[in-house]
Amino acid sequence: MKKYILLALAILFVAVYLFPLYWMYVTALKPSSEIFQFPPTFWPQDPQFDVADVWTRLQMDRFLTNSLIIAVGTSAIIVAVGTGCAYALARVRSVWMDIALFAILMMQVLPSSLMITPIFVAFSQVGLLEYPRLAVILAQAAKSLPLYIVLCRTAFMQVPRELEEAALVDGNSRIGAFFGVAIPLARNGILVTSVLIFLHAFGEYVYSRSLIGERALQPATVGLQSFMGPNTSDWSGVMTYSAIYVTPILIIFVLLQRRIVSGLTAGALK
Amino acid sequence: MVRFWRSLRDGSSFDAVLVWLALGYLIVFSAFPLIYNIVISLQTVDLFSIASLNRPFVGLQNYREVLSQPIAGLVFWNTLQFVVLSIVFQLCIGFGLALFFQQDFPGASYLRGLFLAGWIMPALVIGAVWSWILAGDFGVLNYWLRSLGLIDQNIFWLSDPSVSLYSVIIANIWLGVPFNMILLSVGLAAIPHDVYEAAELDGATAWQRFRTITLPLMRAPLGAVISLGVIFTLQQFDLFAALTQGGPSNASNVAQYWSWQLSFQTYQISYGSVVSVLMIVFVIGVAAIYTRSTRHEQAA
């Protein structure tokens, strides 16, 4: 009996916590007249699916394409340079590796909003601002790379060393053992971490806002922000926009929830 | 050359190359800007001199000018409030939830995982949703507070200078609770069960068990969560952009947003880098304490 009371309480806590997300969806479904009703309705009386309208009116295709480009580019760079580093840090124990790990941990904590000033000045001097999306990708990759390395390192640490040594004895080179044994066995950890990094870059804001001046190249976060002036009245539009934007993220989260939680907790422990 | 390739294939160079690949990237795009930031903060940089490399050094003059601005005190006080209040509430709520979900009931770990849905959202979208919840006239929060009889008049959360900082704090607490809860759950799960059983046999009450077993054994995880909390709250930018934009009249402005405003809204780039240098030094200090303390744990 006590178990079911606890379960009911737990569901209540989750419901209270997730209310903002629920409220976003409910508002998105309400017609504008119902939005400003007082007292507010907690279930849309006359639900309207104006997804297509908001999609074209707020030019979401362009914004989401840019977000996607930035997220894909960032993840590609990070996976390319970070995976091997995570592997080496997990396998080799030496003072130099400890120093490298410490340096990487230190770079993980730098806040984007404080790093953007020097990045902006440096990028403008080397002409990178001519390619603003590339500039954001490069900066965001530097921001998320340390986290990727730390989380992937724990994935590689769970791969038994003996399997690789066996491959070496069988005549494999180090490169062969890395690609043939270590990566396939750490695949799940790498995949989940990459998804986290991807989602993070998909919601990136500071760098895009500061480095991308041209409206046609801005990602969805900056687009959303520009529709929310201090006198916003189009709350239905803003919430529909948000709902379209985050629904894929929520779906990925629900599918990977168990792995994300265990990946995070393992990364935090070691 | 041949020897290098062989060592790359089979020897120690392989690991070194892998590490340097990532480290090199970080040095170019993280460490270099970090140092460049200090250089900029000592020069006069504005929109006109940004492209030229030949900029006059002015020493610590920028620091004096930034710190003597009347809003500097307000901004640093706000930053302090933002960090302290966010962390206290995130920690208490997160710890409470972690303790609750530690109990044995069906679906506990699944329901606990659902909290991370908030953590994984783009913070700017979360800010948009909260600004609708907190809206003065039609916000659902005001509706609840009124129907519970807690307030007679609507609070204009985002435009009233006396509460605007707290509205950002509320949203930030919401955003930070899941992470705190998950990390503290890990710590709680590591406490051996039989310690509690022994204490229970000795007749210790739940509160006594919490105070004499849980709290002391959770010292290290709590320390980690607090230092990570300081680091993460100082990274928070998107909520300010979505909710109050530092306003009204800087009532909710904090250092990380002020630095950006100086650089990108008024184009006083050297001033922006002064604020950013000061805050980054602080963040790195906290991070160094944190990493050092976790290393001690491992060694012990």
Side-chain angles (χ1 to χ4, degrees):
Chain A
M1 190 58 210
K2 189 189 164 212
K3 284 189 172 176
Y4 293 100
I5 297 175
L6 288 177
L7 177 63
L9 264 177
I11 293 174
L12 178 75
F13 289 151
V14 173
V16 169
Y17 182 77
L18 292 182
F19 175 78
L21 290 179
Y22 169 77
W23 198 231
M24 172 188 77
Y25 281 110
V26 169
T27 310
L29 290 176
K30 287 179 184 174
S32 17
S33 57
E34 199 181 333
I35 282 182
F36 298 111
Q37 234 174 60
F38 203 86
T41 51
F42 287 89
W43 188 253
Q45 289 157 344
D46 174 23
Q48 310 238 318
F49 293 93
D50 41 9
V51 173
D53 168 56
V54 171
W55 180 270
T56 48
R57 185 160 51 91
L58 300 184
Q59 294 170 308
M60 287 195 69
D61 50 343
R62 216 175 56 195
F63 289 126
L64 284 175
T65 311
N66 289 329
S67 289
L68 216 54
I69 291 174
I70 289 171
V72 169
T74 307
S75 317
I77 292 182
I78 290 180
V79 172
V81 300
T83 313
C85 179
Y87 166 78
L89 286 174
R91 275 290 172 268
V92 185
R93 310 238 15 86
S94 76
V95 183
W96 289 110
M97 288 294 170
D98 280 354
I99 293 173
L101 185 62
F102 186 77
I104 287 168
L105 284 173
M106 282 295 124
M107 287 192 250
Q108 191 186 337
V109 303
L110 304 173
S112 314
S113 53
L114 297 175
M115 289 299 285
I116 182 59
T117 301
I119 285 179
F120 178 76
V121 176
F123 279 15
S124 85
Q125 275 166 351
V126 297
L128 259 174
L129 292 187
E130 308 277 316
Y131 313 95
R133 283 181 300 195
L134 175 67
V136 172
I137 289 172
L138 292 172
Q140 177 65 19
K143 165 78 195 147
S144 296
L145 182 56
L147 179 69
Y148 177 84
I149 293 175
V150 170
L151 290 181
C152 268
R153 181 170 163 265
T154 59
F156 280 118
M157 279 161 76
Q158 283 156 6
V159 175
R161 221 194 171 94
E162 293 73 29
L163 291 176
E164 258 173 83
E165 278 160 7
L168 290 179
V169 170
D170 287 347
N172 252 312
S173 63
R174 287 289 308 278
I175 298 180
F178 171 57
F179 282 107
V181 179
I183 288 190
L185 286 174
R187 193 182 52 212
N188 280 339
I190 297 174
L191 221 65
V192 171
T193 315
S194 316
V195 170
L196 273 183
I197 298 294
F198 178 88
L199 293 181
H200 204 198
F202 194 61
E204 199 282 325
Y205 173 71
V206 193
Y207 290 146
S208 308
R209 169 89 187 271
S210 319
L211 298 174
I212 305 180
E214 207 176 320
R215 199 149 170 70
L217 301 179
Q218 283 167 344
T221 41
V222 184
L224 176 63
Q225 210 267 345
S226 66
F227 294 123
M228 297 185 354
N231 306 312
T232 314
S233 56
D234 185 18
W235 280 107
S236 163
V238 169
M239 290 298 121
T240 310
Y241 184 116
S242 308
I244 298 173
Y245 184 19
V246 304
T247 302
I249 302 178
L250 272 177
I251 292 173
I252 295 175
F253 169 72
V254 170
L255 291 178
L256 291 179
Q257 193 233 36
R258 216 162 261 281
R259 289 178 190 283
I260 289 178
V261 174
S262 64
L264 271 180
T265 46
L269 266 176
K270 281 159 196 159
Chain B
M1 201 61 199
V2 176
R3 194 197 253 159
F4 171 75
W5 279 114
R6 186 170 299 151
S7 129
L8 181 65
R9 264 169 60 92
D10 288 318
S12 56
S13 318
F14 180 65
D15 300 297
V17 167
L18 288 182
V19 171
W20 275 111
L21 204 62
L23 219 51
Y25 190 88
L26 285 175
I27 287 171
V28 174
F29 290 104
S30 261
F32 169 72
L34 196 65
I35 293 161
Y36 199 43
N37 203 7
I38 300 172
V39 176
I40 298 170
S41 74
L42 301 173
Q43 294 176 323
T44 305
V45 186
D46 51 31
L47 215 48
F48 303 106
S49 60
I50 184 171
S52 80
L53 282 169
N54 183 21
R55 293 182 295 237
F57 265 89
V58 292
L60 291 175
Q61 197 193 328
N62 289 326
Y63 285 81
R64 268 194 295 272
E65 280 169 20
V66 167
L67 294 177
S68 65
Q69 286 195 19
I71 79 161
L74 173 70
V75 165
F76 287 112
W77 170 235
N78 281 346
T79 314
L80 187 72
Q81 282 191 65
F82 181 68
V83 170
V84 170
L85 288 176
S86 295
I87 288 179
V88 166
F89 282 95
Q90 283 172 1
L91 196 67
C92 292
I93 299 172
F95 202 11
L97 285 171
L99 286 168
F100 176 82
F101 280 97
Q102 203 61 32
Q103 301 175 82
D104 182 35
F105 60 89
S109 72
Y110 182 78
L111 287 169
R112 187 181 61 193
L114 281 183
F115 278 79
L116 278 174
W119 177 78
I120 208 160
M121 294 284 113
L124 197 97
V125 172
I126 294 305
V129 174
W130 273 98
S131 72
W132 171 230
I133 292 174
L134 294 166
D137 283 321
F138 304 101
V140 68
L141 184 63
N142 275 341
Y143 166 75
W144 273 333
L145 293 176
R146 278 176 79 150
S147 34
L148 289 173
L150 291 172
I151 54 169
D152 320 318
Q153 271 187 340
N154 282 346
I155 299 175
F156 284 80
W157 290 99
L158 303 174
S159 52
D160 181 343
S162 60
V163 291
S164 58
L165 179 66
Y166 303 108
S167 61
V168 189
I169 293 177
I170 291 172
N172 191 46
I173 292 169
W174 187 86
L175 212 53
V177 159
F179 195 71
N180 278 262
M181 181 181 74
I182 294 291
L183 285 195
L184 293 172
S185 294
V186 176
L188 284 176
I191 301 178
H193 221 70
D194 36 349
V195 186
Y196 286 107
E197 277 162 14
E200 217 171 340
L201 282 180
D202 289 343
T205 62
W207 168 244
Q208 280 171 333
R209 272 175 281 153
F210 176 75
R211 227 189 30 163
T212 56
I213 303 174
T214 314
L215 269 187
L217 285 176
M218 287 294 284
R219 258 227 330 256
L222 282 171
V225 170
I226 290 171
S227 25
L228 286 176
V230 173
I231 293 164
F232 285 142
T233 39
L234 286 175
Q235 296 196 346
Q236 187 49 260
F237 178 90
D238 304 16
L239 285 180
F240 288 93
L243 284 166
T244 62
Q245 285 155 35
S249 58
N250 291 313
S252 68
N253 210 349
V254 292
Q256 63 267 37
Y257 197 76
W258 190 37
S259 163
W260 182 85
Q261 279 184 319
L262 288 169
S263 293
F264 292 94
Q265 286 188 330
T266 55
Y267 295 107
Q268 293 163 299
I269 293 166
S270 10
Y271 288 2
S273 60
V274 165
V275 177
S276 123
V277 167
L278 293 175
M279 294 316 288
I280 288 176
V281 167
F282 181 71
V283 170
I284 291 183
V286 174
I289 296 173
Y290 164 60
T291 27
R292 276 203 55 175
S293 65
T294 52
R295 312 212 118 213
H296 272 287
E297 297 295 314
Q298 278 172 357

